[in-house]
Amino acid sequence: MRNIFFAFSLLIAFGLNAQNKTQFMEIDYRMEMKLDAEEVLKNVPAAWRSQVEEPLRQEIKNGIFMDYKLKTNGSESEYKLQEKINNDQSPAGLILAQMTAMDKEALYKNIAEKYYLKPMNAGKSYLIKEELRDYKWKISKESAEIAGFPTYKATGELNDSTSIVAWYTPKLTIKDGPDRVWGLPGLVLKAEFNMAGTDIIIDAVKVAVKEEEIKITKPTKGEVVTEEKFMADMKELQEKYKEMYGGGVDTE
C-alpha cells in the first residue's frame, strides 16, 4: 500500500512539474488590413489621384498583408514584422513600404509585469511604454480549428466604443498573442479588431514549440513616452511638414 501511495505521489509531482515547465514558442502570423479606399485617397495629392485611383481601389479590395513572428517564453515576448525585399511600385506596394518603415522595431511585452515597450524612430528615438490593456475578456463556447489547434472565441473591449474578438487555444497555456493582445487562458491564434477605421485580422499560420530557451531582448534606447505623448509629437511634426511643403496634401 505504501509503495502504491509513493508511486501516486510521484505521478502528481511529475504532472505539476510538467504544467509549470516554461514553454518556448515561435508563432508566424499574417495580418490583413482592410483599408477604406476613400480615406486612403484623401491622402493622395490631387495631381496623382487620377493615375493611382483605380489600381489602388483594386489592390485594397484584394487585401493588404504583412507577416509577423511572435517569440515568447510565457513571461516575455517579442512581436516583430518580417521584412521582405519590396520592389513593388504599385500603390499597395508603396503603402506597405511606408508601414514597414514605421514598424521596423519589435514590440516587447512583459506578461509577468503587465506592460509593453515599442521603440519608434521619427526624427529621434522614442520608446513607448504603456500598461498592457485589461480587455475584460468574455469567453464563449464557440470553437474553431486554427493552425491545427482547437480554439475558443472570446470577446473583449479594445476601448469604450470598439470591441475585439480573439480565438485562443487552451492546448498552449501561454497567456500571450499577436501585437498587444494577451490575457486569455491560452495562446491567441487569431485576433480581429478595428484600429483608426481599418479592419485588422491577424491569423496564426504556423506554431512551433521549441526545446531550446528563447531569450527576449528588452529594448532600452529612446526617450520613454506614453503612446498619447508620441502621437501628439507626430501630429506636431505633421503640421510642420505641411507648413514646409505649402499646405501638404490637396484634399479637394
Side-chain angles (χ1 to χ4, degrees), residues 164-206:
I164 177 172
V165 174
W167 297 81
Y168 76 95
T169 177
K171 293 287 186 181
L172 303 171
T173 56
I174 286 177
K175 295 182 178 181
D176 207 343
D179 204 276
R180 295 157 177 79
V181 184
W182 80 293
L184 282 161
L187 181 69
V188 174
L189 296 180
K190 183 174 183 177
E192 304 169 77
F193 53 92
N194 184 285
M195 182 67 70
T198 300
D199 287 329
I200 295 175
I201 303 170
I202 308 175
D203 273 297
V205 295
K206 181 182 177 183

Side-chain angles (χ1 to χ4, degrees), residues 127-163:
L127 185 60
I128 299 173
K129 182 177 182 180
E130 292 280 1
E131 291 184 5
L132 287 170
R133 183 184 300 275
D134 178 3
Y135 292 99
K136 300 177 182 177
W137 294 113
K138 295 180 181 178
I139 297 171
S140 75
K141 293 181 180 179
E142 190 173 344
S143 62
E145 184 173 301
I146 299 173
F149 291 89
T151 65
Y152 292 92
K153 182 179 179 180
T155 56
E157 298 176 9
L158 192 60
N159 54 46
D160 293 338
S161 60
T162 308
S163 62

